[in-house]
Amino acid sequence: MKKVLLIILGILAILVAVLLIKTYTYPFKKNTDEAREGWKPVKNDSALIRFSNGIKIPTVSTGSLGEFNYTPFDEFKEYLKISYPLVYQNTENFEVNKYGLVFRLKGSNPALEPILFLSHMDVVPPGDADVKNKEENIFRPDDKVLPPVSKVAEDWDYSPFAGVVANGRIYGRGAIDMKGMLFSLMESVNNLIKSKQTPQRDIYLAFGFDEEVGGQKGAIQIADYFKKKGLKFDAVYDEGGLIMQKGSVAGIDSDVAVVGCAEKGFLSAKIKVKGLGGHSSMPPMESAIGKAAVIMQRLEDDQMKPVITPLIKEFFDNIGGAMPFTSRLAIANQWLLKPVLLSQLTKNNTTNALVRTTTALTMMKGSDGTNVLSPEVEFVVNFRLLPGNTVKDVREHIAKVTQGFDVEVEEIDNTREASKISPTNTKAYQLIQAGIKEIHPGAIVTPYLTMAGTDAAKYEIVSKNVYRFMPIKINSSEQQSLHSTNEYLSIENYLKMIHYFEFMMKNYDK
């Protein structure tokens, strides 16, 4: 017995040794630029004014397919022409489907594939939160800079379409999502033209106008136009990832720049569950709403299996070196600890979304009376598809969960597969890394999976290198303001974003 115990202890000792050796020798990426100082913004009030006035134009998109008021979009198009005459005079520019805008700055070498930068001019509605200060025409770029917010605001500090510049910030709906990127791209091309620097390859800008409602009339048609013209892009750059301020990523004491190399798919299903209706005084043993509740519980209890995809493995390899020892231990020893790692990841809603197709119950409708049994109850479940899972997989999952019940399943909104995964061993990705190090050298740069939908996926038909990244450093509360209340972009972030895109355009072929 003693001999057996010694053998077991010996095996355990060897196992612990193997785990420790693998942890300490695992090739986590090291961040070597922390001490270097990044590019410092230069005062540029004219750029701030152009951006501020662009926010004042309420280009709101609503409705499932962009059936909205186009008058502000007409105004916005004219405003860009007035604000950037050099860009319009020195590029080939045209409209696709009347409101999609395309600009082409010709390069010196037509043999090289062009690069494409995306943005969109539409914004989500501002909501009905109160406004603290309704004064407009506030332009105070030299104010003392307020620290970033630590929670999402309940009210707007200023009217959402006032374009106020104060407190070191540009306030307004669309400041981050996504007029900040649109105007920074226009500023970058404008600066390139003014400096008389001709890039080697063509540079394209493409601005959609209905991204917030699916991009059916904007990005999809622009991408189709490019394909019909036979255009292939060496790289496509869009929104998606951000630089998360130190402390925003649990366990990491560093800024983390997450570059979206893929994005999740989307399927929303309206499930109608049928049962006996009637008066609540004589209810059946199982009502339609009871049956719906069983199905909904199944959907939440029996979700699609988590998996660490190659993209997320690369993500952990990049950030793992800055994580606590226990996290490094699990990442480095997935041959043994993968079930433990997945168990921990799926306990947190943020990391859970990285490793599985998520299930979200979003809407429900039944009887309109307190004493009425509805013969039909409907609810909506939204799935965000992990690359590797397909729409077919999700449909089969729904069929399995609803088996045994009388249901009708209808897909609503825009069902789409998860995007392809763009490689990280390309010039296009390496330039993103260089651009980030130019403005935030201490940031850990890593590929990432973009959770929300963007216009980027529409352009896979014209490029195999599609990346989603906006070069602004914000915390989690600022990020949550994008479709919420009191959205703003710091002046520093905006000026650094202009420099970042100018750096990209100038250095792509150096």
Side-chain angles (χ1 to χ4, degrees):
M1 183 66 183
K2 187 176 180 180
K3 188 176 181 180
V4 172
L5 183 60
L6 288 172
I7 292 172
I8 293 172
L9 289 174
I11 293 172
L12 287 175
I14 293 170
L15 180 60
V16 169
V18 170
L19 290 172
L20 291 174
I21 290 169
K22 283 188 171 290
T23 301
Y24 285 110
T25 60
Y26 193 83
F28 289 114
K29 184 178 178 181
K30 290 181 172 59
N31 190 19
T32 58
D33 295 327
E34 292 182 13
R36 186 166 63 85
E37 189 175 12
W39 179 84
K40 294 294 182 183
V42 179
K43 184 178 170 65
N44 190 342
D45 287 357
S46 58
L48 295 179
I49 290 170
R50 286 188 284 268
F51 179 26
S52 166
N53 288 334
I55 289 174
K56 293 177 182 179
I57 304 171
T59 49
V60 176
S61 60
T62 56
S64 60
L65 290 175
E67 298 299 332
F68 43 82
N69 178 17
Y70 283 98
T71 301
F73 291 83
D74 289 312
E75 184 182 349
F76 190 82
K77 287 194 303 180
E78 291 306 310
Y79 175 71
L80 288 182
K81 288 180 183 178
I82 295 168
S83 300
Y84 297 101
L86 271 181
V87 175
Y88 277 83
Q89 291 163 13
N90 291 274
T91 65
E92 176 188 330
N93 51 85
F94 52 92
E95 298 170 358
V96 175
N97 199 20
K98 191 173 181 181
Y99 292 99
L101 303 181
V102 178
F103 301 84
R104 176 195 178 197
L105 180 65
K106 289 185 179 180
S108 59
N109 187 350
L112 297 175
E113 287 185 343
I115 54 176
L116 172 63
F117 296 88
L118 306 178
S119 188
H120 60 86
M121 65 189 78
D122 62 313
V123 301
V124 298
D128 54 6
D130 290 338
V131 175
K132 293 178 181 177
N133 185 344
K134 296 185 179 180
E135 184 181 354
E136 300 190 4
N137 300 317
I138 298 175
F139 185 77
R140 303 196 307 261
D142 299 318
D143 275 2
K144 180 181 177 181
V145 178
L146 290 180
V149 297
S150 57
K151 62 180 182 178
V152 179
E154 294 182 2
D155 305 317
W156 288 89
D157 285 350
Y158 302 94
S159 298
F161 295 113
V164 166
V165 177
N167 310 318
R169 304 168 177 173
I170 307 104
Y171 290 89
R173 174 58 81 228
I176 296 178
D177 189 13
M178 185 178 182
K179 286 182 178 176
M181 189 158 165
L182 187 152
F183 278 91
S184 67
L185 287 168
M186 292 297 285
E187 293 287 338
S188 300
V189 171
N190 195 57
N191 292 342
L192 213 61
I193 292 168
K194 282 199 296 186
S195 64
K196 300 186 185 307
Q197 296 190 49
T198 303
Q200 287 195 46
R201 65 185 71 222
D202 291 358
I203 294 172
Y204 279 78
L205 309 181
F207 303 151
F209 58 92
D210 63 342
E211 190 273 348
E212 299 292 359
V213 291
Q216 300 292 309
K217 296 185 177 182
I220 284 181
Q221 299 207 28
I222 297 172
D224 284 343
Y225 172 87
F226 288 150
K227 185 177 182 181
K228 288 173 183 175
K229 289 290 183 180
L231 278 171
K232 284 284 186 182
F233 294 93
D234 196 63
V236 176
Y237 297 109
D238 194 12
E239 64 175 327
L242 301 160
I243 303 173
M244 299 305 297
Q245 190 173 342
K246 184 177 0 182
S248 298
V249 180
I252 299 182
D253 189 30
S254 178
D255 299 331
V256 180
V258 291
V259 181
C261 292
E263 69 182 62
K264 284 191 154 187
F266 183 98
L267 189 153
S268 272
K270 181 190 291 183
I271 300 177
K272 296 180 181 178
V273 187
K274 298 177 182 180
L276 289 174
H279 198 280
S280 63
S281 62
M282 293 182 291
M285 295 304 293
E286 192 174 22
S287 63
I289 199 168
K291 294 175 181 178
V294 171
I295 295 172
M296 288 190 285
Q297 195 64 55
R298 285 183 181 178
L299 284 165
E300 291 196 334
D301 289 345
D302 185 22
Q303 298 196 28
M304 298 184 73
K305 290 183 178 180
V307 61
I308 297 176
T309 62
L311 178 61
I312 297 307
K313 180 185 181 300
E314 191 172 354
F315 167 73
F316 284 127
D317 288 351
N318 277 273
I319 69 168
M323 297 179 81
F325 174 77
T326 52
S327 298
R328 299 201 308 274
L329 178 73
I331 294 167
N333 293 280
Q334 292 181 47
W335 61 277
L336 178 65
L337 300 177
K338 184 179 285 187
V340 177
L341 179 60
L342 284 171
S343 175
Q344 291 303 309
L345 291 171
T346 54
K347 288 178 182 178
N348 177 282
N349 61 343
T350 301
T351 53
N352 178 58
L354 290 175
V355 296
R356 71 154 29 119
T357 292
T358 53
T359 302
L361 298 167
T362 58
M363 302 171 70
M364 188 174 185
K365 181 181 178 182
S367 169
D368 293 324
T370 59
N371 62 347
V372 177
L373 293 168
S374 176
E376 183 176 272
V377 172
E378 65 181 45
F379 66 90
V380 174
V381 56
N382 173 246
F383 297 92
R384 299 298 176 109
L385 282 67
L386 192 72
N389 290 153
T390 65
V391 168
K392 181 175 179 287
D393 293 334
V394 176
R395 288 171 179 159
E396 290 175 351
H397 177 68
I398 294 171
K400 180 182 176 183
V401 170
T402 57
Q403 191 173 4
F405 294 96
D406 186 5
V407 300
E408 289 181 10
V409 179
E410 176 191 0
E411 291 176 26
I412 56 177
D413 295 329
N414 301 309
T415 297
R416 60 178 182 271
E417 300 283 3
S419 76
K420 298 174 184 175
I421 299 174
S422 295
T424 58
N425 60 344
T426 61
K427 175 196 292 188
Y429 181 84
Q430 290 160 3
L431 193 62
I432 298 173
Q433 292 179 305
I436 293 168
K437 295 299 183 180
E438 171 79 1
I439 56 175
H440 292 291
I444 297 171
V445 183
T446 181
Y448 188 70
L449 175 62
T450 299
M451 306 300 167
T454 69
D455 276 344
K458 284 86 169 174
Y459 291 87
E460 288 182 342
I461 61 175
V462 290
S463 181
K464 64 181 183 299
N465 301 321
V466 181
Y467 304 100
R468 302 154 180 85
F469 180 72
M470 187 187 299
I472 60 174
K473 185 167 78 170
I474 59 178
N475 63 27
S476 54
S477 296
E478 291 173 303
Q479 186 179 10
Q480 289 173 41
S481 75
L482 267 67
H483 284 194
S484 186
T485 305
N486 210 37
E487 183 179 351
Y488 71 81
L489 180 66
S490 73
I491 292 173
E492 179 181 354
N493 265 321
Y494 180 56
L495 296 179
K496 283 187 174 182
M497 184 152 47
I498 295 170
H499 181 74
Y500 168 90
F501 284 121
E502 196 172 341
F503 176 88
M504 298 272 282
M505 294 172 185
K506 287 179 178 178
N507 291 282
Y508 199 89
D509 289 297
K510 286 188 178 179

